[in-house]
Amino acid sequence: MSFSKWIGASIGWSFGGPIGAIIGLALGSVVDAMADGNGGSLLGDRQTKTQGRTTYRTQPRQRPQTQSGDFEVSLLILASVIIKADGKQDQKELDFVRQQFLNMYGKERANQAFKLFKNISNQNVSFRPVCLQIRQMMDHPSRLQLMHFLFGIAKADGAVTEDEVKQIYTIAGYLGISSRDYESIKAMFYNSSDNAYKVLEITKSATVDEIKKAYRKMAKKYHPDKVIHLGKEHQKGAEEKFRQVQAAYEQIQKERRF
């Protein structure tokens, strides 16, 4: 299955709004010519045309479930922002994105996704409206998973630059990610004496009971089942967060001897 056909089947709310506009531009003329090979518009059943301009359906008040494609295109757009955060596209970061796509999607789909990613990267993306759309429509566990991936991209070249940190911090704010959640995920990509405590969202002064309680809370928050609706390909990333929570707890156990 081509990426265009796959994306037409697995995208829900992201067909509309600023994300839909970015993806439509990235797909270009292919979008207008493809709908199961019959020459229709891929986006045709999701949009209405009024007086020569495209308008998107009003989103329902109740947050719809994020589908795999919604998560994927959100990831592609935000990844393109982080790649350019320090004013250049580092090859190691690009290789990291490609490898992650390969790990998640397999070779054929990964190649298609990376082509789309490069087309998005060529656009001058205003990421604030993109983030606000994601915040409105995407569930919290999926947004946390986006943050984890963005830090992974930034760290791919061996170090997270100050510009990248600022960009991810700004994105986190627009996505409605709390400072504690932000610091927890950020700590997974740094080595310092208190990082294990930050991962569990506690301080070094926490009691043993508080540490155990924090571990149970974070294990529940980052459990892979929280993003089961995104498909197996995205659960792998969630499993990595879950392992890091376990590693942080085991490190503290060893230090505090309980």
Side-chain angles (χ1 to χ4, degrees):
M1 178 184 290
S2 71
F3 183 78
S4 295
K5 288 185 178 180
W6 174 85
I7 212 170
S10 62
I11 281 182
W13 53 261
S14 59
F15 259 123
I19 293 178
I22 292 169
I23 295 301
L25 184 59
L27 288 173
S29 60
V30 176
V31 172
D32 296 326
M34 185 176 295
D36 296 327
N38 63 9
S41 171
L42 179 66
L43 303 180
D45 61 341
R46 307 287 179 138
Q47 301 172 338
T48 57
K49 302 224 174 183
T50 306
Q51 297 180 345
R53 61 189 180 90
T54 301
T55 58
Y56 296 94
R57 294 186 309 178
T58 302
Q59 300 289 357
R61 289 186 178 182
Q62 183 178 2
R63 176 181 287 149
Q65 186 176 62
T66 297
Q67 298 184 49
S68 178
D70 297 318
F71 183 87
E72 184 169 348
V73 295
S74 299
L75 178 60
L76 294 176
I77 294 171
L78 295 183
S80 74
V81 172
I82 298 303
I83 286 287
K84 296 186 290 186
D86 53 5
K88 60 181 181 179
Q89 289 192 352
D90 187 278
Q91 188 59 47
K92 291 182 179 179
E93 294 176 338
L94 289 171
D95 290 343
F96 175 86
V97 173
R98 182 187 287 275
Q99 187 59 50
Q100 289 299 304
F101 289 169
L102 285 170
N103 292 341
M104 289 189 293
Y105 309 133
K107 185 176 180 180
E108 181 179 357
R109 180 174 156 193
N111 287 339
Q112 296 291 342
F114 197 71
K115 288 178 184 177
L116 185 60
F117 170 76
K118 289 193 291 185
N119 287 342
I120 293 170
S121 297
N122 291 331
Q123 298 182 41
N124 184 19
V125 174
S126 177
F127 64 90
R128 182 178 182 274
V130 169
C131 290
L132 293 181
Q133 182 181 2
I134 294 171
R135 177 176 181 170
Q136 179 187 7
M137 307 303 290
M138 187 180 290
D139 56 282
H140 186 248
S142 298
R143 282 180 276 145
L144 292 177
Q145 189 58 36
L146 281 177
M147 294 299 299
H148 189 266
F149 191 93
L150 296 181
F151 268 112
I153 293 173
K155 189 68 179 294
D157 57 357
V160 183
T161 68
E162 184 177 345
D163 288 335
E164 289 169 333
V165 170
K166 288 181 179 178
Q167 198 77 289
I168 296 174
Y169 181 78
T170 301
I171 288 173
Y174 289 150
L175 290 179
I177 303 298
S178 70
S179 59
R180 295 185 71 174
D181 284 339
Y182 167 83
E183 292 296 338
S184 172
I185 294 175
K186 178 183 176 183
M188 296 178 183
F189 296 89
Y190 287 82
N191 293 318
S192 70
S193 59
D194 61 346
N195 269 7
Y197 291 89
K198 288 182 178 179
V199 168
L200 297 184
E201 298 185 358
I202 54 178
T203 66
K204 281 190 170 183
S205 62
T207 66
V208 170
D209 285 343
E210 288 171 337
I211 293 169
K212 291 179 178 179
K213 182 179 179 180
Y215 168 68
R216 290 192 295 269
K217 176 184 175 182
M218 298 306 294
K220 182 178 180 180
K221 179 187 293 188
Y222 290 148
H223 197 283
D225 284 352
K226 291 285 188 177
V227 295
I228 195 170
H229 56 286
L230 298 181
K232 292 181 179 179
E233 61 269 30
H234 297 301
Q235 278 190 286
K236 293 178 181 178
E239 288 168 0
E240 175 60 25
K241 289 205 313 300
F242 190 71
R243 285 193 294 269
Q244 287 172 310
V245 167
Q246 291 178 311
Y249 181 62
E250 290 169 4
Q251 179 182 330
I252 294 174
Q253 276 186 312
K254 185 176 180 180
E255 291 175 359
R256 301 280 288 267
R257 297 181 180 179
F258 65 89

